[in-house]
Protein backbone atom coordinates (compact mmCIF):
# COMPACT_ATOMS: atom_id res chain seq x y z
CA UNK A 1 0.00 0.00 0.00
CA UNK A 2 1.29 3.39 -0.95
CA UNK A 3 0.75 7.04 -0.15
CA UNK A 4 2.04 9.40 -2.84
CA UNK A 5 3.04 12.19 -0.47
CA UNK A 6 0.71 15.11 0.14
CA UNK A 7 -2.60 15.16 -1.77
CA UNK A 8 -3.74 18.62 -0.65
CA UNK A 9 -3.38 21.10 2.18
CA UNK A 10 -6.49 22.93 3.38
CA UNK A 11 -6.35 26.31 5.10
CA UNK A 12 -8.67 29.10 6.23
CA UNK A 13 -9.07 32.56 4.74
CA UNK A 14 -11.15 35.48 5.95
CA UNK A 15 -10.66 37.34 2.67
CA UNK A 16 -11.48 35.28 -0.43
CA UNK A 17 -10.84 38.05 -3.00
CA UNK A 18 -7.41 38.81 -1.48
CA UNK A 19 -6.69 35.09 -1.32
CA UNK A 20 -7.42 34.60 -5.04
CA UNK A 21 -5.30 37.61 -5.89
CA UNK A 22 -2.31 36.30 -3.94
CA UNK A 23 -2.34 32.64 -4.96
CA UNK A 24 -3.39 33.13 -8.60
CA UNK A 25 -1.97 36.49 -9.65
CA UNK A 26 1.13 36.65 -7.44
CA UNK A 27 2.11 32.98 -6.94
CA UNK A 28 0.84 31.90 -10.37
CA UNK A 29 -1.21 28.89 -9.29
CA UNK A 30 -4.29 27.97 -11.29
CA UNK A 31 -7.69 28.09 -9.64
CA UNK A 32 -8.87 24.60 -10.53
CA UNK A 33 -12.13 24.55 -8.61
CA UNK A 34 -14.38 27.22 -7.20
CA UNK A 35 -16.95 25.46 -5.07
CA UNK A 36 -18.52 25.72 -1.63
CA UNK A 37 -17.80 24.06 1.69
CA UNK A 38 -19.90 20.89 1.45
CA UNK A 39 -20.63 21.06 5.19
CA UNK A 40 -21.43 24.81 5.10
CA UNK A 41 -22.47 25.80 1.54
CA UNK A 42 -22.80 29.54 2.29
CA UNK A 43 -19.03 29.94 1.98
CA UNK A 44 -16.41 29.10 -0.61
CA UNK A 45 -14.02 26.23 -0.85
CA UNK A 46 -11.31 27.40 -3.26
CA UNK A 47 -8.74 25.06 -4.83
CA UNK A 48 -5.43 26.21 -6.34
CA UNK A 49 -3.10 23.79 -8.10
CA UNK A 50 -1.05 23.11 -11.19
CA UNK A 51 -2.51 23.22 -14.72
CA UNK A 52 -4.27 19.87 -14.41
CA UNK A 53 -5.41 20.11 -10.81
CA UNK A 54 -3.01 17.36 -9.73
CA UNK A 55 -2.85 15.92 -6.26
CA UNK A 56 0.50 17.00 -4.85
CA UNK A 57 -0.03 20.62 -5.89
CA UNK A 58 -3.46 21.32 -4.50
CA UNK A 59 -3.79 24.08 -1.90
CA UNK A 60 -7.35 24.70 -0.76
CA UNK A 61 -9.03 27.35 1.38
CA UNK A 62 -12.26 27.41 3.33
CA UNK A 63 -13.59 30.94 3.36
CA UNK A 64 -14.94 32.39 6.58
CA UNK A 65 -15.64 36.00 5.57
CA UNK A 66 -14.01 38.42 7.98
CA UNK A 67 -12.61 35.61 10.17
CA UNK A 68 -10.09 36.74 12.75
CA UNK A 69 -6.46 35.81 12.25
CA UNK A 70 -5.60 32.54 13.87
CA UNK A 71 -2.22 31.45 15.13
CA UNK A 72 -0.58 28.06 14.82
CA UNK A 73 0.21 26.11 17.97
CA UNK A 74 0.79 22.54 19.11
CA UNK A 75 -1.10 20.08 16.94
CA UNK A 76 -1.26 22.33 13.88
CA UNK A 77 0.62 22.54 10.61
CA UNK A 78 2.38 25.93 10.64
CA UNK A 79 4.27 26.08 7.34
CA UNK A 80 3.82 24.80 3.77
CA UNK A 81 6.76 24.23 1.45
CA UNK A 82 6.76 24.02 -2.37
CA UNK A 83 9.52 22.71 -4.58
CA UNK A 84 11.14 24.97 -7.12
CA UNK A 85 13.65 23.93 -9.76
CA UNK A 86 16.71 26.10 -9.10
CA UNK A 87 18.31 28.86 -7.08
CA UNK A 88 17.42 31.16 -10.01
CA UNK A 89 13.81 30.48 -9.11
CA UNK A 90 14.45 31.69 -5.56
CA UNK A 91 15.97 34.92 -6.97
CA UNK A 92 12.94 35.36 -9.22
CA UNK A 93 10.49 34.87 -6.36
CA UNK A 94 12.39 37.10 -3.94
CA UNK A 95 12.19 39.89 -6.50
CA UNK A 96 8.57 39.25 -7.51
CA UNK A 97 7.35 39.03 -3.92
CA UNK A 98 9.41 42.08 -2.97
CA UNK A 99 7.72 44.09 -5.73
CA UNK A 100 4.38 43.11 -4.17
CA UNK A 101 5.51 44.35 -0.77
CA UNK A 102 5.89 40.80 0.61
CA UNK A 103 8.91 40.40 2.91
CA UNK A 104 11.07 37.37 2.15
CA UNK A 105 13.91 35.68 3.99
CA UNK A 106 16.52 33.73 2.04
CA UNK A 107 18.42 31.00 3.83
CA UNK A 108 20.55 28.77 1.65
CA UNK A 109 18.27 26.95 -0.76
CA UNK A 110 15.02 28.15 0.82
CA UNK A 111 12.97 31.32 0.60
CA UNK A 112 10.46 32.02 3.36
CA UNK A 113 7.55 34.44 3.33
CA UNK A 114 3.95 34.68 4.48
CA UNK A 115 0.67 35.09 2.66
CA UNK A 116 -1.43 38.25 3.29
CA UNK A 117 -3.09 36.62 6.31
CA UNK A 118 0.17 35.50 7.93
CA UNK A 119 0.31 31.88 6.75
CA UNK A 120 3.98 30.82 6.60
CA UNK A 121 5.11 29.57 3.19
CA UNK A 122 8.45 28.35 1.90
CA UNK A 123 10.02 27.61 -1.48
CA UNK A 124 12.89 25.20 -1.58
CA UNK A 125 15.23 23.98 -4.27
CA UNK A 126 14.67 20.26 -4.39
CA UNK A 127 16.82 17.39 -5.56
CA UNK A 128 13.84 15.04 -5.45
CA UNK A 129 12.89 13.28 -8.69
CA UNK A 130 9.17 14.11 -8.41
CA UNK A 131 7.72 15.26 -11.75
CA UNK A 132 7.13 19.05 -11.53
CA UNK A 133 3.46 20.07 -11.18
CA UNK A 134 3.34 23.51 -12.77
CA UNK A 135 0.57 25.97 -13.61
CA UNK A 136 0.74 28.22 -16.67
CA UNK A 137 0.90 31.91 -15.81
CA UNK A 138 1.57 34.57 -18.44
CA UNK A 139 4.30 36.38 -16.50
CA UNK A 140 6.02 33.40 -14.80
CA UNK A 141 8.44 31.31 -16.88
CA UNK A 142 7.60 27.60 -16.44
CA UNK A 143 11.12 26.73 -15.26
CA UNK A 144 10.78 29.21 -12.37
CA UNK A 145 7.23 28.30 -11.32
CA UNK A 146 6.14 26.45 -8.19
CA UNK A 147 6.37 22.68 -8.78
CA UNK A 148 4.06 21.15 -6.18
CA UNK A 149 4.45 20.52 -2.48
CA UNK A 150 7.74 19.53 -0.87
CA UNK A 151 6.14 19.05 2.54
CA UNK A 152 4.69 20.65 5.63
CA UNK A 153 5.98 21.52 9.10
CA UNK A 154 3.81 21.02 12.19
CA UNK A 155 4.11 21.93 15.86
CA UNK A 156 4.12 19.05 18.35
CA UNK A 157 4.90 19.06 22.06
CA UNK A 158 5.66 15.31 22.08
CA UNK A 159 6.36 14.15 18.54
CA UNK A 160 7.36 10.65 19.72
CA UNK A 161 3.67 10.06 20.46
CA UNK A 162 3.06 10.03 16.69
CA UNK A 163 5.84 7.61 15.80
CA UNK A 164 3.78 4.41 15.80
CA UNK A 165 0.95 5.83 13.70
CA UNK A 166 3.25 7.51 11.20
CA UNK A 167 5.83 4.76 10.95
CA UNK A 168 3.98 1.49 11.54
CA UNK A 169 0.46 2.29 10.35
CA UNK A 170 1.01 4.80 7.56
CA UNK A 171 4.44 3.74 6.33
CA UNK A 172 6.18 7.08 6.81
CA UNK A 173 9.97 6.79 6.84
CA UNK A 174 11.66 8.22 9.93
CA UNK A 175 14.63 10.28 8.80
CA UNK A 176 15.89 11.16 12.25
CA UNK A 177 14.90 13.66 14.94
CA UNK A 178 11.49 14.95 14.09
CA UNK A 179 11.67 14.49 10.34
CA UNK A 180 9.47 12.06 8.45
CA UNK A 181 9.02 11.42 4.76
CA UNK A 182 6.19 9.66 2.93
CA UNK A 183 7.15 8.64 -0.56
CA UNK A 184 5.12 6.61 -3.04
CA UNK A 185 6.09 5.38 -6.49
CA UNK A 186 6.15 8.87 -8.08
CA UNK A 187 5.93 11.51 -5.39
CA UNK A 188 6.83 12.09 -1.79
CA UNK A 189 6.55 14.80 0.86
CA UNK A 190 8.22 15.58 4.15
CA UNK A 191 6.42 15.95 7.44
CA UNK A 192 8.51 17.69 10.09
CA UNK A 193 7.74 18.53 13.72
CA UNK A 194 8.97 21.73 15.34
CA UNK A 195 8.82 22.76 19.00
CA UNK A 196 5.54 24.63 19.52
CA UNK A 197 5.34 28.20 20.82
CA UNK A 198 4.09 28.51 24.42
CA UNK A 199 0.74 30.04 23.40
CA UNK A 200 -2.12 27.76 22.47
CA UNK A 201 -2.90 27.55 18.78
CA UNK A 202 -6.05 29.20 17.47
CA UNK A 203 -7.75 28.13 14.27
CA UNK A 204 -8.55 31.20 12.18
CA UNK A 205 -7.62 33.10 9.05
CA UNK A 206 -4.11 32.27 7.87
CA UNK A 207 -3.92 28.87 9.55
CA UNK A 208 -3.87 25.34 8.18
CA UNK A 209 -6.97 23.23 8.81
CA UNK A 210 -5.69 19.83 7.72
CA UNK A 211 -3.22 18.00 5.48
CA UNK A 212 -4.30 15.18 3.16
CA UNK A 213 -2.09 12.32 1.93
CA UNK A 214 -2.64 10.75 -1.47
CA UNK A 215 -3.96 7.19 -1.69
CA UNK A 216 -4.36 5.12 -4.85
CA UNK A 217 -8.04 4.78 -5.74
CA UNK A 218 -8.43 1.16 -4.67
CA UNK A 219 -6.48 1.34 -1.40
CA UNK A 220 -8.36 3.92 0.68
CA UNK A 221 -10.67 1.32 2.25
CA UNK A 222 -7.62 -0.71 3.33
CA UNK A 223 -5.97 2.25 5.09
CA UNK A 224 -8.93 2.81 7.39
CA UNK A 225 -8.62 -0.41 9.49
CA UNK A 226 -4.87 0.20 9.86
CA UNK A 227 -5.52 3.68 11.20
CA UNK A 228 -8.19 2.38 13.58
CA UNK A 229 -5.89 -0.42 14.80
CA UNK A 230 -3.23 2.20 15.57
CA UNK A 231 -5.72 3.90 17.89
CA UNK A 232 -6.81 6.90 15.81
CA UNK A 233 -10.51 7.69 15.39
CA UNK A 234 -10.95 7.47 11.64
CA UNK A 235 -14.18 8.62 9.99
CA UNK A 236 -15.96 6.37 7.53
CA UNK A 237 -15.01 6.92 3.89
CA UNK A 238 -16.63 10.21 2.81
CA UNK A 239 -17.36 10.95 -0.86
CA UNK A 240 -16.05 14.47 -1.55
CA UNK A 241 -17.10 14.15 -5.21
CA UNK A 242 -13.62 15.09 -6.54
CA UNK A 243 -12.05 12.42 -4.33
CA UNK A 244 -12.99 10.12 -1.44
CA UNK A 245 -11.60 10.76 2.02
CA UNK A 246 -11.00 9.40 5.50
CA UNK A 247 -10.18 11.85 8.31
CA UNK A 248 -8.50 11.33 11.67
CA UNK A 249 -6.34 13.21 14.13
CA UNK A 250 -2.81 11.88 14.44
CA UNK A 251 -1.55 11.60 18.05
CA UNK A 252 0.23 14.98 17.97
CA UNK A 253 -3.13 16.58 17.22
CA UNK A 254 -2.76 17.39 13.53
CA UNK A 255 -5.88 16.65 11.47
CA UNK A 256 -4.94 14.17 8.73
CA UNK A 257 -6.96 13.10 5.73
CA UNK A 258 -6.25 10.27 3.33
CA UNK A 259 -7.72 11.16 -0.07
CA UNK A 260 -7.92 9.19 -3.31
CA UNK A 261 -5.89 10.27 -6.34
CA UNK A 262 -9.10 10.53 -8.39
CA UNK A 263 -11.53 11.07 -9.96
CA UNK A 264 -10.21 14.66 -9.86
CA UNK A 265 -11.42 18.13 -10.76
CA UNK A 266 -12.30 17.49 -14.41
CA UNK A 267 -15.18 15.25 -13.33
CA UNK A 268 -17.76 18.07 -13.58
CA UNK A 269 -16.14 20.70 -15.86
CA UNK A 270 -14.03 20.56 -19.03
CA UNK A 271 -10.35 20.64 -17.98
CA UNK A 272 -9.86 23.89 -19.93
CA UNK A 273 -12.54 25.72 -17.93
CA UNK A 274 -11.94 24.28 -14.47
CA UNK A 275 -12.29 26.91 -11.78
CA UNK A 276 -14.05 29.55 -13.88
CA UNK A 277 -17.64 28.98 -12.83
CA UNK A 278 -19.08 27.96 -9.49
CA UNK A 279 -19.05 24.15 -9.34
CA UNK A 280 -21.52 22.46 -7.02
CA UNK A 281 -21.75 18.79 -6.12
CA UNK A 282 -25.03 17.27 -7.39
CA UNK A 283 -26.74 17.36 -3.99
CA UNK A 284 -26.30 21.17 -3.83
CA UNK A 285 -27.19 21.93 -7.48
CA UNK A 286 -30.91 22.52 -6.70
CA UNK A 287 -29.84 25.35 -4.35
CA UNK A 288 -27.53 27.06 -6.89
CA UNK A 289 -29.39 30.41 -7.16
CA UNK A 290 -29.61 30.86 -3.41
CA UNK A 291 -25.95 29.84 -2.89
CA UNK A 292 -24.64 32.14 -5.64
CA UNK A 293 -26.50 35.13 -4.19
CA UNK A 294 -24.88 34.64 -0.79
CA UNK A 295 -21.24 34.27 -1.93
CA UNK A 296 -18.57 36.99 -1.91
CA UNK A 297 -17.81 38.29 -5.45
CA UNK A 298 -14.32 37.21 -6.55
CA UNK A 299 -11.86 38.68 -9.06
CA UNK A 300 -12.51 37.27 -12.53
CA UNK A 301 -10.26 34.41 -13.63
CA UNK A 302 -7.56 35.65 -16.04
CA UNK A 303 -8.39 32.68 -18.29
CA UNK A 304 -12.08 33.59 -18.52
CA UNK A 305 -11.05 37.20 -19.18
CA UNK A 306 -8.70 36.28 -22.03
CA UNK A 307 -11.51 34.32 -23.73
CA UNK A 308 -13.97 37.20 -23.25
CA UNK A 309 -16.16 34.92 -21.17
ZN1 LIG B 1 -9.21 17.90 2.69
Amino acid sequence: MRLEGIHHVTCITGDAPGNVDFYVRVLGLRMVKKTVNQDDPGVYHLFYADERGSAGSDLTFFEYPGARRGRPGAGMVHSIAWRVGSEDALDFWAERLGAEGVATEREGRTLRFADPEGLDLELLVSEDPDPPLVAEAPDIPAELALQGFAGVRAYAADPDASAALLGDALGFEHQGDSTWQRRGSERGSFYVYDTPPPERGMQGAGTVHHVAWASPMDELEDWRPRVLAAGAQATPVIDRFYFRSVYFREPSGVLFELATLGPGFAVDEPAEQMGEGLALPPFLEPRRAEIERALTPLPESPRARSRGA
Side-chain angles (χ1 to χ4, degrees):
M1 282 164 61
R2 333 178 250 133
L3 293 173
E4 296 283 334
I6 291 174
H7 183 288
H8 64 268
V9 182
T10 292
C11 314
I12 295 170
T13 177
D15 172 20
N19 190 258
V20 174
D21 181 68
F22 185 75
Y23 287 97
V24 175
R25 184 183 62 82
V26 179
L27 288 191
L29 301 177
R30 176 176 180 186
M31 188 189 280
V32 293
K33 194 61 62 181
K34 181 163 57 180
T35 184
V36 294
N37 185 336
Q38 292 186 13
D39 301 320
D40 183 5
V43 297
Y44 283 117
H45 192 182
L46 303 172
F47 294 72
Y48 310 107
D50 70 343
E51 204 56 27
R52 295 175 303 138
S54 308
S57 68
D58 178 14
L59 179 68
T60 97
F61 282 86
F62 292 134
E63 176 209 21
Y64 291 100
R68 287 192 10 199
R69 288 263 186 113
R71 91 179 156 230
M76 293 166 71
V77 169
H78 68 86
S79 168
I80 303 167
W82 280 273
R83 296 187 174 92
V84 292
S86 64
E87 301 211 20
D88 287 350
L90 298 184
D91 297 339
F92 171 85
W93 286 104
E95 191 180 324
R96 183 175 173 91
L97 290 162
E100 293 287 336
V102 178
T104 60
E105 188 188 327
R106 177 85 172 255
E107 196 186 306
R109 289 158 76 78
T110 68
L111 185 73
R112 295 197 184 90
F113 54 101
D115 89 351
E117 293 175 293
L119 175 60
D120 283 337
L121 306 173
E122 186 178 312
L123 306 182
L124 60 90
V125 181
S126 168
E127 307 296 336
D128 295 332
D130 307 37
L133 302 175
V134 168
E136 290 167 16
D139 52 347
I140 301 170
E143 69 273 17
L144 303 176
L146 276 53
Q147 298 186 342
F149 296 123
V152 293
R153 306 182 72 93
Y155 285 134
D158 177 19
D160 291 347
S162 296
L165 179 82
L166 295 180
D168 302 339
L170 297 180
F172 281 46
E173 182 194 347
H174 194 198
Q175 299 190 316
D177 295 333
S178 297
T179 299
W180 296 82
Q181 174 95 214
R182 187 54 166 106
R183 183 151 279 286
S185 59
E186 273 191 46
R187 309 193 66 77
S189 307
F190 66 73
Y191 183 60
V192 173
Y193 290 114
D194 295 311
T195 306
E199 311 83 42
R200 281 176 70 102
M202 243 173 24
Q203 199 90 78
T207 62
V208 173
H209 187 267
H210 63 269
V211 55
W213 303 88
S215 164
M217 292 296 283
D218 55 354
E219 293 182 4
L220 185 66
E221 277 75 10
D222 298 328
W223 281 113
R224 192 169 174 272
R226 290 176 71 128
V227 168
L228 290 169
Q233 300 293 314
T235 65
V237 173
I238 298 173
D239 186 354
R240 291 302 188 191
F241 193 56
Y242 305 112
F243 40 82
R244 287 173 295 113
S245 302
V246 168
Y247 301 82
F248 54 93
R249 235 169 248 290
E250 59 98 338
S252 288
V254 177
L255 184 58
F256 267 22
E257 173 182 353
L258 304 181
T260 53
L261 283 161
F265 296 118
V267 72
D268 59 350
E269 297 179 291
E272 171 63 21
Q273 285 161 36
M274 290 188 309
E276 288 177 9
L278 180 71
L280 294 176
F283 78 97
L284 289 174
E285 198 56 61
R287 294 174 56 194
R288 174 174 285 274
E290 164 211 345
I291 289 170
E292 283 186 338
R293 264 198 309 277
L295 291 170
T296 315
L298 291 182
E300 199 182 359
S301 141
R303 278 160 221 275
R305 207 160 48 229
S306 69
R307 270 214 305 278

